[in-house]
């Protein structure tokens, strides 16, 4: 049975593997002050998070939340959060790991 012949109301609301592989997910980095407020992007910091902007109390942590809804990272190290974010987004490009480990029928 072809997918197009299925009643649209009978389709699952969950995306298929094919749909997931074409979706682009985002996980923007945000810097935060000690009180939890977002530090504006125009506030520059040293690598340790000390502010270079006169009105900024400093970056205490960096956070990334993926648009997939299943991943987020929060840590003091901006570089570490960014590395984990890139690794997570690369996993989306590869697709579900379960499917990668299955034997291929056409491999014989």
């Amino acid at each position: 049975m072809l997918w197009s012949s299925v009643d649209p109301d009978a389709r699952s609301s969950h995306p298929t593997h094919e749909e997931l592989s074409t979706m682009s997910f985002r996980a923007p980095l945000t810097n935060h002050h000690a009180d939890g407020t977002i530090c504006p992007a125009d506030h520059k910091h040293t690598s340790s998070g000390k502010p270079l902007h006169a009105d900024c109390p400093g970056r205490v942590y960096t956070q990334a939340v993926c648009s997939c809804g299943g991943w987020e990272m929060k840590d003091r190290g901006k570089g570490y959060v960014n590395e984990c974010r890139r690794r997570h987004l690369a996993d989306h490009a590869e697709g579900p790991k379960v499917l990668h480990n299955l034997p291929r029928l056409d491999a014989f």
Side-chain angles (χ1 to χ4, degrees):
M1 177 151 97
L2 295 173
W3 178 258
S4 60
S5 64
V6 175
D7 178 20
D9 296 328
R11 293 183 188 166
S12 170
S13 62
H14 299 289
T16 64
H17 173 64
E18 291 80 18
E19 290 170 329
L20 281 174
S21 65
T22 59
M23 293 174 82
S24 60
F25 292 99
R26 299 191 46 189
L29 289 176
T30 53
N31 296 316
H32 296 262
H33 301 132
D35 64 0
T37 58
I38 293 178
C39 186
D42 63 334
H43 286 191
K44 302 299 179 197
H45 307 88
T46 64
S47 59
S48 66
K50 292 180 182 166
L52 296 174
H53 190 276
D55 297 331
C56 183
R59 178 184 72 227
V60 174
Y61 66 91
T62 299
Q63 183 175 21
V65 178
C66 185
S67 60
C68 74
W71 182 89
E72 74 176 70
M73 176 73 173
K74 176 178 162 181
D75 195 81
R76 291 184 57 83
K78 181 178 179 180
Y80 179 65
V81 174
N82 195 31
E83 179 183 330
C84 293
R85 178 187 73 87
R86 280 190 257 135
R87 203 174 299 134
H88 173 75
L89 291 173
D91 285 347
H92 281 303
E94 293 175 9
K97 293 198 183 312
V98 173
L99 296 178
H100 288 292
N101 297 330
L102 290 175
R104 292 180 45 183
L105 297 175
D106 61 349
F108 299 101

